[in-house]
Amino acid sequence: HVRRSGRERSEMSLNQLSASEVSSRVRAGEFSAREMLEASLAQIRAVDGVPGSLDQKPLDPAEEQKVHAFIRLTEDLARSQADEVDRKIAAGEDPGALAGVPVSIKDIFTLQGIETTAASRILWNFKPPYTATPVQRLIDAGALILGKANLDEFTFGSSSESSAFKPAPNNPWDPSRVPGGSSGGSTASVAAEEVALSLGTDTGGSIRQPAAFCGVVGFKPTYGRVSRYGLMAFSSSLDCPGPIARNVSDAALMLQVIAGNDPKDSTSSVLQTSNYLNALKEGVKGLRVGLSPDYAHLFYPDFETGELAMESIQKEISDAVQHAASVLSDLGAEIVENVPLPNAKYSIPTYFVISRVEAASNLHRFDGVKYGYRTPVDVEDLQDLIRRTRAEGFGSEVKLRILMGMYLSSEGYAANYYQRALKVRAMIRRDFERAFDPHGEHRLDVVLTPTTATTSFKRNDVFGNTVRMQYSDQMTVSANHAGLPAVSIPGGLDADNLPIGIQFIGPDFREDLILRAGYAFEQATQGEAWRAVRPAVLRQEVAK
Ligand code: GLN
């Protein structure tokens, strides 16, 4: 039995505050950014365990129960940021909208002078000479960067188990299960109350799927809404940085800070951002919310026949979606049923092709010549150096994707696969354009779907089956193909006390609409019993 001192007790409660509460109370002088930082570090020490590392030492059994959200803590950086916030407050200067808010950064974003690994051996010692734009905007807004969060290697996965830095993160709701991926360290750090916010990326679902698995809010903005400058590219036409938070208004607050044009990213939009926090208060009266039968099943290929077979999704998840629809309906939204989105079921096969081709192209730059890992053996020539470096530096999922991408884009196959995938992608987008068309049959403001077909799975259950793993993104990936904004918010718990995610998808640059829908559901369900249940690692913490 560990008795907590009064000081420790108050530190525990600081970690439960939302980002907006932290920032307003730090500005009001109720506690300092430095105190917030120390509370956050104390929580990390209590629940996180050893950070991920390349040398795979046998683990102490107690570590199995820990979260392991981080590859690297950046305590010194965070201390200097906290001191700067406290200095500004003392001097009467504006410390920014995220003053003193602890944040983790998925280790796929550059941070000047600090190792940025993409969870890959090939970048184990890479210290970038510049900072990613969304990270810089967080810093400028007074956030405290606590560390680099673990992820699937180069973001290739849906469980975070493919990280070269072990132990991979665990799910705070049940440490024998995965947090999802690829932003699994990010969502786990937010769920375990180690930080209030995290910056993730979503190419096929990597913010929303792990947010669903960890019971937090995961927000994928419209393609181009948030700069990709300083984000290591996976599939450049699909990648989106976005916020991870414990509630919808914190996601809106973080989006406000990171969104907006960046001259350093030529695909970043020049459209003005709207006021996302103000939008929350507008409610859902009259909002048209669509439900689609094409999101009621999982479509999985039969490898014998090549046919897409239908599999049902977890009943508790369909029930949660229905429940959300009725809550929104009670608040005055109009529920529009049977909206056809028939090409959504081809999203994963399409994604397999497009993402592998773009990944293979993007990963050419890692060659052991300019930076990162280089083979230690004596090499014959430059070819040999590159071949050995890549053979030793990349993990197996990365190699598989490079091989597949090279094959699919090779002469003779590109027309059959890549060109065809681009056509299907356009069809997936057209389905949504029809559903959102203000003069069309459905005139939707948002589409409501499950985020995932199942809740979190056990470690090692799916890992190794790259197709099965990919299919955890079936409900999320169409928004990437179409470039649309989408958010996953907590929608309940299943019988094993595992979080259920529900998803809202909106029209281009209408982040405000999906935030409004999510916020309205969240506020209206504050009294529901499942909201009082805490993640297992935090329950243990209290019981100690
Ligand atoms: N899980 C998907 C994949 O393996 C998505 C990854 C992502 O969104 N970055 O590619």
Side-chain angles (χ1 to χ4, degrees), residues 115-180:
E115 284 90 341
T116 298
T117 66
S120 181
R121 180 179 295 274
I122 211 154
L123 285 171
W124 70 286
N125 61 354
F126 172 52
K127 288 189 182 169
Y130 63 98
T131 295
T133 296
V135 177
Q136 190 59 52
R137 289 184 180 176
L138 292 170
I139 295 171
D140 294 345
L144 315 180
I145 309 298
L146 263 288
K148 305 302 286 293
N150 211 339
L151 65 149
D152 282 296
E153 184 173 0
F154 280 104
T155 83
F156 299 171
S158 307
S159 68
S160 302
E161 290 165 289
S162 73
S163 173
F165 289 73
K166 297 283 174 15
N170 293 328
N171 192 318
W173 290 82
D174 175 352
S176 72
R177 292 173 188 269
V178 301

Side-chain angles (χ1 to χ4, degrees), residues 155-158 181-182 202-206 234 351 356 401 470 473:
T155 83
F156 299 171
S158 307
S182 62
D202 192 310
T203 306
S206 280
F234 159 18
Y351 177 82
R356 269 57 172 183
R401 292 193 185 205
Q470 187 72 80
D473 301 325

Side-chain angles (χ1 to χ4, degrees), residues 219 221-222 224-226 243 248-261 269 271-282 485 508-517 519:
F219 195 98
T222 309
R225 181 69 297 174
V226 176
V248 175
S249 51
D250 272 3
L253 174 67
M254 181 168 169
L255 180 65
Q256 200 76 56
V257 168
I258 62 175
N261 182 243
S269 171
L271 274 183
Q272 280 292 315
T273 53
S274 42
N275 188 321
Y276 303 116
L277 280 167
N278 279 355
L280 297 180
K281 295 168 213 137
E282 286 172 37
D508 291 339
F509 298 104
R510 295 308 304 273
E511 280 76 10
D512 57 321
L513 290 175
I514 57 175
L515 287 167
R516 271 164 68 186
Y519 184 74

